[in-house]
């Protein structure tokens, strides 16, 4: 396992809610990342850890490889890959996202 893969694994398993996104929670740099933040806030997410993949191309590619998922944002809850903003939106509408976040 490469250093970046080990770092990603450590990050997603040691924090309850992690979002790999473009930009920051305060300043998302793409619409999908912005929507993901809105959904997490509306779901009551606290202690949210966000990782700006635009700051490091190694992390940006590494997270795609880690989940075998080609797009960003990517949400992890309790170490488990949940999906991107479309999946998050579906889960929010059904109440599943809120239930997962509240644990």
């Amino acid at each position: 396992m490469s250093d970046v893969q080990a770092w990603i694994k450590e990050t997603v398993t040691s924090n309850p809610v992690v979002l790999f996104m473009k930009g920051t929670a305060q300043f998302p740099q793409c619409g999908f990342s912005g929507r993901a933040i809105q959904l997490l806030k509306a779901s009551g997410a606290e202690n949210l850890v966000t990782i700006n993949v635009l700051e490091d191309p190694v992390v940006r590619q590494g997270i795609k490889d880690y989940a075998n998922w080609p797009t960003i944002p990517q949400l992890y809850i309790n170490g488990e890959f949940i999906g991107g903003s479309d999946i998050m939106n579906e889960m929010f509408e059904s109440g599943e996202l809120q239930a997962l976040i509240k644990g």
Side-chain angles (χ1 to χ4, degrees), residues 1-10 66:
M1 183 180 292
S2 72
D3 289 348
V4 73
Q5 295 293 310
W7 178 82
I8 290 168
K9 183 176 183 178
E10 171 67 23
Y66 183 83

Side-chain angles (χ1 to χ4, degrees), residues 20-57:
F20 286 81
M21 63 181 289
K22 293 178 180 175
T24 64
Q26 295 75 26
F27 189 68
Q29 291 187 265
C30 85
F32 296 109
S33 290
R35 180 69 180 141
I37 289 294
Q38 289 176 335
L39 292 168
L40 289 169
K41 287 181 178 176
S43 298
E46 299 172 7
N47 304 322
L48 170 64
V49 173
T50 60
I51 309 296
N52 181 358
V53 300
L54 298 177
E55 291 179 345
D56 188 339

Side-chain angles (χ1 to χ4, degrees), residues 61-76:
Q61 184 57 48
I63 194 60
K64 293 176 182 181
D65 296 340
Y66 183 83
N68 195 23
W69 190 262
T71 59
I72 293 165
Q74 290 186 16
L75 175 65
Y76 293 80

